[in-house]
Amino acid sequence: IQFGLMPGLGQMPSPPDVPIDRTVLLLTTATAVVCGILASLAPSWLGLRVTVQRALSQSGSRSVTGAPRVRAGLSALQLALSLALVTGAALLIVSLQRLGRVDLGFTPDNVVAQWVGLRGHGYTPDRMVTYNQELVARLAANPSFELVSLATGHPFAYSRLTRVTRPAADGTAPLSVREVATDERFATLLGLPVLHGRYFEPAEILRDTRETGTPAVVSASLARAFFGREDVLGERVQLPRTALNPVLDLVVVGVMADALTHSLTAPPDHI
């Protein structure tokens, strides 16, 4: 995933242009005007077809056809539908206002995310690393982007679920977490606060550091659930063995604040 933080459309050399179709605008305006005129003239036209004597005779007779009842029923139905629409619109506005006040834990403003899939195109792991490095370098050199980051997921799009354990056999049960690999700019781009320690350094990105312990940044909820406290710098966790990699020993170098991961109402997943 490549993230680009855009400073503003006015500062972009080639801003996305979504022109207004004049034909469509004129057609919709003319249609609205015609419909409004017809809706306002229809009652007058129907009224001209009724003479005074006929109207008086119908008002004084109770044995006429059921047309007045039908009109009364339609009026009641129209009123009920209008009230339902107004109530629904008011509730929608209130819901949107409440959603706007939800603290996401990160800042998505002016952030663009683009998925790039290389595995299905014959790229080897080494070629994927080279491609990603060159892509990030070229996008970072483009003045359209203020900041460019590389990651395997982002909030509300974390897909990889794994289980972590503690190296010591202390009986701690494995914990399900969302695993995401990022570069050193990811936290800055999304405004993710680091509560303890630090985030990744450039020398630790896209390099094999298993011989010294791969650095890891965990969420505050993971630290509390696994260690009972937030300041867990220097603690170790392990990722399970896979078909390609042995057991991976991770060293916690930073703890970041919790951010919503998949829902506006549910607690965030452990990261």
Side-chain angles (χ1 to χ4, degrees), residues 24-259:
V24 175
L25 179 60
L26 292 176
L27 179 60
T28 54
T29 303
T31 303
V33 171
V34 171
C35 290
I37 293 175
L38 292 178
S40 60
L41 292 180
S44 301
W45 180 72
L46 293 176
L48 292 176
R49 298 178 58 187
V50 180
T51 62
V52 176
Q53 294 179 352
R54 183 181 177 184
L56 293 175
S57 63
Q58 287 183 354
S59 63
S61 175
R62 298 296 182 180
S63 61
V64 294
T65 61
R69 295 182 179 179
V70 174
R71 285 195 293 268
L74 292 177
S75 299
L77 178 62
Q78 182 180 9
L79 178 60
L81 291 177
S82 300
L83 290 176
L85 290 175
V86 172
T87 304
L91 292 176
L92 178 60
I93 292 174
V94 173
S95 299
L96 292 177
Q97 290 177 343
R98 291 182 176 178
L99 289 176
R101 292 193 293 266
V102 173
D103 183 12
L104 301 177
F106 63 96
T107 306
D109 299 339
N110 297 327
V111 176
V112 175
Q114 176 63 50
W115 289 95
V116 178
L118 302 178
R119 294 185 182 274
H121 298 279
Y123 278 77
T124 63
D126 292 337
R127 288 187 61 196
M128 285 191 291
V129 170
T130 302
Y131 177 91
N132 289 329
Q133 289 175 331
E134 293 181 356
L135 181 60
V136 171
R138 291 187 180 184
L139 291 177
N142 190 326
S144 301
F145 302 100
E146 181 179 323
L147 191 63
V148 179
S149 178
L150 185 71
T152 58
H154 60 85
F156 293 90
Y158 292 130
S159 58
R160 182 176 177 81
L161 185 64
T162 187
R163 298 172 70 86
V164 295
T165 58
R166 297 179 65 173
D170 56 359
T172 304
L175 188 66
S176 296
V177 301
R178 295 288 180 180
E179 179 188 355
V180 56
T182 76
D183 63 9
E184 74 279 6
R185 296 173 292 271
F186 182 78
T188 302
L189 188 143
L190 289 181
L192 295 170
V194 177
L195 304 178
H196 305 281
R198 60 174 177 83
Y199 206 68
F200 299 114
E201 296 178 351
E204 299 167 340
I205 306 303
L206 297 177
R207 288 174 173 80
D208 189 0
T209 57
R210 292 173 187 164
E211 66 277 1
T212 58
T214 300
V217 177
V218 301
S219 63
S221 62
L222 189 154
R224 291 191 300 267
F226 218 38
F227 299 98
R229 65 186 191 280
E230 287 188 2
D231 189 358
V232 293
L233 301 181
E235 295 285 355
R236 292 179 175 267
V237 295
Q238 285 183 340
L239 292 178
R241 180 188 302 273
T242 64
L244 299 178
N245 297 318
V247 175
L248 185 57
D249 193 12
L250 306 177
V251 179
V252 178
V253 298
V255 179
M256 64 181 183
D258 291 323

